[in-house]
């Protein structure tokens, strides 16, 4: 057991750190052109789509270097490596795995160059967690599919260029996983209408998307007709180590400790209060658990051993931390905690935003089913 | 032995429910403002709810906090923004600690709705203690009160001050002060920062607070907020149970799954519990003042944490729809965050329960 | 709303208290003959089977007086009013409701006079919570039933005189609730074999009971053949207000506070520790909630309103308190807490006995199902 | 980056599993006594597990605490009563704080199994601190050590004492003391009260403890106990998951119901978590001593409470059978209660995590 990276890997870490110290000015010293330049620079380094094959413009980066890159970026509080989170997280990998050569050429460079952003048309009004039950219909008409139906909770739809869309091309299959087809749809397609939804924090990041006789060329189908479920599964599974998230949570914990140091509770420093101390220590411990869980799972990947559904462990830990840390910070501040324009209002705002993370990635109850059924082997519901 | 409501109290409850349905539905409260408040306030003053706990000789209904609890449960269920709690506390303070002259001056005006109070006790955001009242008052008041509930809806405010004789509540005209709305998460519980600039203060505007008086008014505040929490928590449970019966996932209503069903059952257990604790505390306000501190602390401590979790799980069990702005359940989550620390969080109240229980 | 009893009711309370002060010496001053005399005295007062009809030897005691009697007995830490807990709790009421006149005459006086003890033969090896699925077979042969099968977790079986036994007389019914028949069985019947089971605390209160061609006379059947489920349901429902239990829990809490006052934690008085204080206050609050829940439900009964399944609320609260209070006491005492022969070993022993209460009365998950389905109207599993 | 076990470590694990199955099954441990211990101890000494962390120059295997963790996980899984933890702590103390002469005298004897240590540090039952060591020692020791683990299985005890130079560990022959078995709930963790009556104590029998030394040995104790907890908790999860697959209620295996399934999933999450925390802490013992206190406290704090609940729920989910004496799952509940406070409960360790984290 050791926690050392190889000299080559450490050299890579040094490279990343040096790049960051040269190219990432403090938040309040960044010029207006910063983000565009940042994206160009990290692209030039080959760090966008770092794990993708060189053939499509990636860097064939190995698992250890991926982890190092993620960790250093998160530690430095760096902006994302591209403008399309979903494009990099699963649309790109999906196209690389299932796309035609033509599709790879057409879509991958734009994702890497941050020229387009993608959204994900999975959820429908009546089928939140149950993806396989989708009803949005795609009929083949000549050289295109005619799409009718509705998606909902489509994050980023109000400002996306493209959507990866799950449709049903066959309603008569025995198994509902069959008959699903995956399409890549320009958001400007006639018949595609986006209606933003406001969430409880007042943000409008997600939307309903309506399809009315929207025509999508056949060459925009990803994978075979009726085999879209495989594409989806591989996309959902395309999550790697949670090392970046852990670093983020650690940063948040440091901020929370700072809040504690600056707060008073019942007329005394909050940091002296044993109940406050215990709560912070529990957060610290859970985050450490996420970190070392992540390193154990990373080690398995490095050894080429397959991961089962263990990533659900860190998802559950993160879900509870996301809810509890904000909630604690709001409560600690008493009447000040419930205000949205104070110096520390980030906690109040963030306490209204946890469902993005907690529900978006599969509800905690779904994660518990996954662990119970796939890891512990308990009977299905 | 009669630990339940009377027929009259059930009639009162029905009356409040009808009023909320007809006049103060969720649509109304989403755009609630000072004008809406004043129009509705007139109506509920006529219905006698404003002066519910004011003796008949001062123009009130001469009822008790148990009756007030019925009203607050239902206004809480509807997230009604009317400043009933602030005014109930103003009444309770004047009745307990005010002079006869003050009672004669203010209580009839509260009862008939011509005076509406905003209410703000402490100056530190998370400290329940006489030392947490720091705004100083002599023959005038200058300074800032950082968190005054309902100040912008009201004609007057009643605020905690330190006088040379110790803590007191001061009654101040709305016109003499500058109230700046706070951007609060729960818009159905508006609050303001109130600035006092050489506001003249005569003796008849001060209600002195002994330690026991302050304990009493804080306990009354805890009881009132808990009453609102009972109604609001029941609303979350009803919304979520109904959703669980209708929402189909993987071929079944989600309420069939124990992951949902058992959480809802636990909500029921929690609500039954803090409801029972509340009813006893409300009864203590008038009929067993010696037990009030302990009873109020038990109810508020339990409700603070339980309702906070009910708000979160109510949203969570709805899935994505639960946290859209247009859906109502998220409004209750915001209410839970507001209510959690008002008049003391669970740490404060549980510690008091331990002390009063002999530790 | 008021918490006053009527002058008549208060007079009854005074009567009970006076009786207790005269007839209940402190625990260490009770002579060997005490229990027998106690049972005779409370019987003479009419307090045994207090709620039962006068016709069978009870006192027709009303709900308020029942509550007062229970509360005062619990407050005084009095011994039970009879030697057969189950006889008084549900066998007697079951016989009163479903028994023949002959059965009433035969069984009720002995229960009231503490001449016999009863046990309850419900659970079977393969059907813990699912009572209706029982398989113990009773065949009618002439003027008796021939019983074959096995019961388990039969509390009190090692020292009981009689058993109220659930059998199946019909294996071909559509609904499994049908075909169940209730028999009253002398434990000395040939073919009835009791094998005590030791629990983790080292006690042998419950047992397996085997039936091999045991013959039970037809006149010992309670209720009609095939209608035993109704008897069972009414027996299980025969629980009244939880006021006695609450008083018991309050007493336990006072003992726990005393333990806290006498204990040290990390070199300081445990009673100063905010985490300890919080825990005790939570227990106190939950017990108070049980008390006021109980009084609300009692009020409904006094008003003649039917109770739904609200008693499950206090059962869940009690289950968690039973587990948590002992567990807390054991933890508080550190290395001393896990010993079984110290001055305070009652906590350690009791921390191994909670399943009697927590599982015996229907597991917490069953209680949650009851609340979810019967009160909240959620769909059945 | 290699946060996993080596092939050699996996071979060691398999060897321990085989030994437990063959020589020290649950049937054996239910009647474990001093004779059984001495017979088995000889065998494991030959297998090299007793001297695992002892350098080769003193006759040991020269391995690390990460290797010891592998052994303790598996002995914990089997609730094996062999006094491995007590002896590992004796080794750790001698190696860190003993003189060369003491190392030369004792370590070879431990490694070859001829000396077996019982171990007892503190005299107050719920206090982790140098002031909790109160037994006084000068040129002799007189008094009582209230809780010494494994004293009755051992040839010697190592106990915390106060000398005129401060706290120390004293090595005492078993024949010089009077050990009275304590009636402990978890009989697989035997302990004794040890009485010292004018027991002569020469300087070479004292190992002085600085604050850092005591912190180190207590942290090692926390690591060892947590390693045992990982194995034991996994055993509960396995027992209960298997039961949930087989036990039919209302027509289905109970593991189909989310009330059971989700609780088991949460157990898995907890165990994965304190297991990962443990592995890092075990690594720190040899390779990052500066991080040890914090890492050990995180692991022990998390495990203490999580395993306590796992023990309770493991029994509870089995229903009535779970708390019969003949069924094994209840043995783990008793182990959980023993482990919960050994070398510090969660309150102690979480508070230390807060302190070391800068609060």
């Amino acid at each position: 057991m050791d926690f050392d990276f190889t000299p080559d890997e450490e050299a890579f870490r040094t490279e990343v750190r040096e790049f960051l110290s040269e190219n990432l000015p403090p938040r309040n010293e960044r010029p207006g052109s910063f983000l565009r330049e940042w994206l160009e620079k990290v692209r030039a380094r080959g760090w966008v789509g770092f794990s993708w094959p060189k053939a499509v413009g990636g860097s064939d980066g190995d698992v250890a270097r991926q982890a190092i890159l993620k960790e250093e970026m998160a530690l430095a509080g760096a902006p994302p490596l591209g403008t399309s989170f979903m494009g990099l997280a699963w649309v790109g990998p999906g196209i690389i795995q299932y796309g035609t050569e033509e599709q790879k050429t057409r879509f991958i460079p734009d994702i890497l160059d941050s020229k387009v952003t993608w959204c994900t048309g999975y959820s429908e009004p009546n089928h939140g967690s149950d993806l396989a039950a989708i009803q949005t219909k795609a009929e083949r008409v000549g050289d295109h599919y005619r799409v009718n139906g509705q998606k909902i909770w489509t994050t980023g739809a109000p400002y996306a260029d493209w959507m990866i869309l799950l449709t049903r091309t066959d309603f008569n299959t025995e198994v509902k996983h069959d008959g699903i087809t995956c399409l890549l749809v320009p958001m400007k397609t006639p018949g595609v209408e986006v209606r933003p939804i406001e969430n409880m924090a007042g943000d409008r990041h997600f939307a309903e998307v309506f399809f009315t006789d929207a025509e999508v060329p056949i060459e925009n189908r990803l994978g075979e007709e009726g085999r879209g479920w495989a594409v989806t599964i591989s996309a959902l599974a395309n999550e790697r180590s949670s090392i970046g998230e852990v670093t983020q949570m650690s940063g948040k914990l440091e901020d929370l400790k700072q809040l504690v140091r600056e707060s008073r509770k019942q007329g005394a420093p909050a940091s002296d209060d044993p109940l406050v101390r215990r709560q912070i220590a529990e957060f610290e411990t859970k985050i450490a658990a996420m970190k070392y869980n992540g390193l154990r799972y990373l080690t398995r990947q490095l050894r080429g051993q397959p991961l089962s559904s263990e990533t659900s462990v860190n998802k559950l830990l993160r879900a509870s931390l996301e809810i509890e840390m904000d909630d604690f910070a709001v409560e600690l501040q008493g009447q000040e905690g419930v205000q949205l324009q104070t110096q520390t209002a980030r906690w109040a705002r963030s306490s209204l935003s946890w469902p993005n993370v907690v529900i978006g990635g599969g509800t905690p109850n779904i994660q518990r089913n996954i662990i119970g059924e796939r890891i512990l082997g308990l009977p299905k519901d | 032995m009669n630990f339940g409501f009377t027929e009259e109290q059930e009639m009162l409850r029905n009356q409040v429910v009808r009023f909320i349905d007809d006049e103060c539905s969720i649509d109304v409260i989403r755009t609630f403002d000072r004008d809406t408040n004043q129009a509705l306030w007139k109506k509920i003053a006529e219905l006698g709810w404003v002066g519910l706990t004011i003796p008949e000789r001062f123009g009130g209904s001469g009822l008790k906090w148990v009756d007030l609890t019925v009203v607050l449960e239902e206004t809480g269920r509807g997230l009604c923004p009317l400043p009933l709690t602030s005014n109930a506390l103003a009444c309770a303070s004047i009745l307990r600690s005010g002079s006869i002259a003050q009672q004669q001056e203010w209580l009839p005006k509260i009862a008939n709705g011509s005076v509406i109070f905003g209410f703000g006790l402490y100056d530190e955001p998370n400290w329940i203690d006489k030392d947490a009242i720091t705004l100083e008052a002599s023959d005038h008041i200058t300074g800032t009160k950082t968190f005054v509930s309902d100040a912008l809806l009201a004609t007057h405010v009643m605020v905690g001050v330190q006088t040379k004789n110790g803590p007191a509540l001061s009654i101040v005209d709305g016109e003499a002060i500058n109230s700046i709305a706070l951007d609060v998460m729960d818009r159905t519980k508006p609050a303001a920062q109130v600035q006092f600039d050489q506001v003249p203060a005569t003796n008849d505007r001060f209600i002195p607070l002994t330690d026991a008086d302050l304990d009493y008014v804080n306990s009354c505040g805890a009881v009132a907020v808990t009453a609102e929490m009972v109604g609001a928590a029941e609303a979350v449970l009803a919304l979520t149970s109904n959703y669980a019966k209708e929402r189909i996932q993987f071929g079944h209503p989600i309420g069939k799954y124990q992951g949902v069903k058992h959480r809802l059952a636990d909500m029921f257990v929690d609500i039954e519990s803090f409801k029972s604790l509340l009813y006893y505390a409300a009864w203590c306000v008038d009929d067993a003042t010696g037990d009030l501190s302990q009873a109020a602390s038990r109810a508020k401590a339990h409700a603070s944490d339980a309702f906070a979790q009910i708000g979160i799980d109510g949203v969570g069990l709805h899935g994505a729809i639960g946290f859209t702005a247009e859906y109502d359940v998220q409004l209750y989550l915001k209410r839970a965050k507001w209510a959690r620390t008002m008049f003391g969080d669970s740490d404060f109240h549980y510690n008091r329960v331990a002390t009063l229980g002999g530790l």
Side-chain angles (χ1 to χ4, degrees), chain A, chain B:
Chain A
M1 198 172 281
D2 72 73
F3 292 85
D4 301 329
F5 287 89
T6 64
D8 275 7
E9 288 161 356
E10 285 300 339
F12 178 69
R13 187 189 294 280
T14 307
E15 183 194 336
V16 179
R17 284 193 183 168
E18 280 171 1
F19 173 86
L20 286 166
S21 80
E22 280 164 28
N23 295 294
L24 190 67
R27 206 171 288 270
N28 50 5
E29 294 172 22
R30 294 176 191 168
S33 59
F34 166 75
L35 191 65
R36 179 47 51 194
E37 287 166 19
W38 164 264
L39 292 170
E40 281 166 15
K41 285 178 194 161
V42 291
R43 175 77 181 107
R45 291 275 173 148
W47 294 345
V48 189
F50 182 64
S51 64
W52 298 2
K54 283 194 175 152
V56 300
S59 297
D60 269 330
D62 61 32
V63 174
R65 282 180 178 76
Q66 286 171 46
I68 290 169
L69 184 62
K70 271 198 191 177
E71 184 174 17
E72 292 301 323
M73 289 289 163
L75 267 177
L81 299 176
T83 51
S84 182
F85 168 75
M86 292 173 197
L88 290 167
W90 53 76
V91 180
I95 292 172
I96 292 167
Q97 189 174 355
Y98 291 96
T100 62
E101 287 310 311
E102 186 270 334
Q103 286 173 332
K104 289 180 198 170
T105 314
R106 185 147 59 108
F107 295 111
I108 299 295
D110 284 354
I111 293 174
L112 291 171
D113 294 338
S114 287
K115 287 192 178 154
V116 296
T117 57
W118 284 77
C119 64
T120 306
Y122 284 0
S123 293
E124 296 187 2
N126 295 316
H127 310 94
S129 298
D130 186 9
L131 278 186
I134 60 151
Q135 298 293 318
T136 292
K137 181 178 182 181
E139 274 175 298
R140 194 146 165 183
V141 183
D143 60 354
H144 60 262
Y145 289 96
R146 184 183 296 149
V147 181
N148 282 285
Q150 184 194 345
K151 296 288 171 180
I152 196 167
W153 321 125
T154 315
T155 307
Y159 33 79
D161 303 301
W162 284 81
M163 172 187 276
I164 182 165
L165 173 69
L166 274 199
T167 65
R168 182 167 293 283
T169 42
D170 188 346
F171 284 79
N172 300 314
T173 56
E174 268 182 43
V175 178
K176 64 183 178 178
H177 292 172
D178 295 339
I180 290 176
T181 298
C182 183
L183 302 177
L184 308 174
V185 185
M187 293 300 281
K188 286 185 191 151
T189 306
V192 175
E193 187 200 346
V194 175
R195 287 188 207 154
I197 302 171
E198 186 178 328
N199 73 9
M200 65 175 166
D203 299 322
R204 293 165 157 257
H205 296 315
F206 49 51
E208 290 176 291
V209 183
F210 295 88
F211 298 86
T212 315
D213 290 336
E215 297 188 352
V216 181
I218 286 179
E219 63 260 32
N220 282 17
R221 187 186 65 217
L222 183 58
E224 292 175 47
E225 184 172 300
R227 291 277 173 274
W229 185 247
V231 180
T232 314
I233 284 298
S234 104
L236 291 178
N238 217 300
E239 298 184 35
R240 294 300 171 95
S241 68
S242 44
I243 283 178
E245 283 169 20
V246 170
T247 315
Q248 232 178 357
M249 301 301 286
S250 297
K252 192 165 174 176
L253 178 69
E254 287 309 315
D255 295 346
L256 187 57
K257 284 186 195 166
Q258 195 51 35
L259 179 73
V260 167
R261 286 189 200 101
E262 291 163 2
S263 295
R264 291 169 66 78
K265 188 178 159 187
Q266 291 302 117
S271 57
D272 290 347
D273 184 308
L275 293 147
V276 169
R277 295 170 64 81
R278 162 119 191 176
Q279 190 63 72
I280 293 290
E282 287 189 23
F283 294 146
E284 215 261 39
T285 298
K286 267 193 193 173
I287 292 169
M290 279 182 73
K291 174 175 172 182
Y292 298 114
N293 286 338
L295 290 176
R296 281 208 292 133
Y297 303 149
L298 174 64
T299 297
R300 283 197 220 162
Q301 290 181 302
L302 288 170
R303 293 179 179 183
Q305 297 161 352
L307 270 190
S308 168
S309 307
E310 283 86 353
T311 50
S312 290
V313 170
N314 274 358
K315 280 188 190 155
L316 279 166
L317 289 173
R318 186 178 173 202
S320 69
L321 281 164
E322 286 284 353
I323 293 173
E324 290 164 14
M325 285 170 74
D326 295 335
D327 206 42
F328 169 82
V330 168
E331 188 194 11
L332 176 67
Q333 298 176 78
Q335 296 171 341
E336 235 169 72
V338 293
Q339 298 179 37
L340 296 167
Q341 296 294 339
T342 62
Q343 288 286 319
T344 54
R346 63 168 282 199
W347 299 103
R349 285 196 300 272
S350 158
S351 82
L352 299 176
S353 302
W354 55 264
N356 290 325
V357 173
V358 172
I359 297 171
T363 65
N365 278 349
I366 296 276
Q367 304 298 339
R368 291 189 182 97
N369 275 353
I370 290 173
I371 292 174
E373 292 164 16
R374 296 194 205 155
I375 299 181
L376 302 178
L378 298 169
K380 284 217 160 206
D381 256 323
Chain B
M1 170 49 53
N2 186 13
F3 192 34
F5 294 104
T6 62
E7 275 185 41
E8 290 74 18
Q9 286 162 339
E10 290 302 341
M11 283 169 57
L12 174 63
R13 183 185 298 277
N14 290 337
Q15 199 187 31
V16 181
V17 170
R18 269 202 312 280
F19 172 82
I20 296 283
D21 284 351
D22 296 346
E23 310 264 359
C24 197
S25 67
I26 295 268
D27 289 342
V28 173
I29 70 167
R30 281 176 178 263
T31 58
F32 201 86
D33 61 11
R34 185 184 168 90
D35 290 345
T36 317
N37 182 60
Q38 303 218 325
L40 292 177
W41 196 258
K42 225 178 131 185
K43 291 191 186 173
I44 65 166
E46 282 162 16
L47 288 166
W49 305 345
V50 174
L52 208 66
T53 58
I54 296 176
E56 293 180 18
R57 68 182 183 281
F58 297 124
S61 309
L63 295 176
K64 295 182 169 184
W65 269 65
V66 170
D67 304 278
L68 180 65
T69 292
V70 170
V71 176
L72 292 174
E73 266 191 294
E74 297 309 321
T75 55
R77 192 182 315 274
L79 296 176
C80 169
L82 291 165
L84 281 160
T85 292
S86 290
N87 285 274
L89 294 177
C91 290
S93 307
I94 293 169
L95 273 167
R96 177 182 167 109
S97 317
S99 65
I100 304 276
Q102 286 171 327
Q103 293 176 353
Q104 285 168 342
E105 179 179 0
W106 295 104
L107 294 176
K109 292 181 191 162
I110 298 176
N112 70 24
S114 59
V115 162
I116 309 175
F117 274 102
F119 193 87
L121 212 38
Y122 308 107
D123 296 281
E124 268 215 31
N126 190 4
W127 193 11
I128 308 295
D129 191 87
K130 65 181 170 186
D131 292 339
I133 301 171
T134 53
L135 178 66
E136 287 184 13
S138 51
D139 55 355
H140 66 269
I141 308 175
T142 295
T144 299
K145 204 78 195 165
T146 51
F147 195 94
V148 182
S149 293
D150 306 314
L152 284 157
L153 303 176
T155 63
H156 291 67
V157 294
M158 183 178 282
V159 293
V161 292
Q162 288 288 350
T163 70
K164 66 180 191 300
N165 301 318
L169 287 164
S170 175
I171 295 172
V172 185
D173 290 354
E175 289 173 10
I177 56 177
N178 182 24
S179 296
I180 302 157
L182 295 171
D183 187 359
V184 285
M185 196 186 275
D186 178 2
R187 281 156 210 255
T188 66
K189 283 292 178 186
Q193 191 191 81
V194 174
Q195 296 169 337
F196 300 78
D197 184 10
Q198 294 281 340
V199 177
T202 49
N203 257 342
D204 61 332
R205 291 297 185 95
F206 289 120
I207 300 166
L209 291 177
T210 63
D211 287 359
D213 289 344
L214 180 58
D215 190 71
Y216 174 83
V217 65
N218 195 77
S219 292
C220 286
V223 168
V225 171
T226 306
E228 293 180 327
M229 284 198 272
V230 167
E234 286 189 336
V236 173
L237 179 58
L239 272 169
T240 313
S241 297
N242 286 336
Y243 183 79
K245 288 173 207 170
E246 287 160 14
R247 173 74 173 171
I248 309 289
Q249 291 273 281
F250 301 103
H252 296 285
I254 60 171
K256 177 180 189 295
Y257 300 111
Q258 292 186 348
V260 175
K261 184 185 291 178
H262 288 185
R263 178 60 197 119
L264 292 173
D266 284 338
M267 285 187 191
F268 182 81
V269 172
D270 276 334
I271 297 171
E272 282 290 291
S273 298
F274 67 78
K275 183 197 264 189
S276 296
L277 293 169
L278 165 73
Y279 290 170
Y280 179 67
W283 182 76
C284 288
V285 175
D286 293 296
D287 290 295
T289 314
D291 264 5
L292 174 61
S293 299
Q294 193 173 18
S297 280
R298 285 192 298 230
K300 180 65 171 54
H302 193 303
S304 285
D305 287 353
F307 182 36
Q309 197 59 47
I310 287 168
I312 286 169
D313 292 338
V315 168
L317 291 173
H318 275 81
I321 201 176
F323 76 113
T324 59
E326 69 176 311
Y327 205 80
D328 295 336
V329 71
Q330 49 92 17
L331 298 174
Y332 290 92
L333 178 141
K334 292 170 180 168
R335 171 62 68 93
K337 292 198 191 294
W338 173 86
R340 190 170 198 181
T341 66
M342 282 302 289
F343 303 105
D345 62 13
S346 65
D347 287 349
F348 168 77
H349 283 294
Y350 275 129
N351 189 50
R352 206 162 69 143
V353 169
T355 304
L356 295 170
L359 283 192

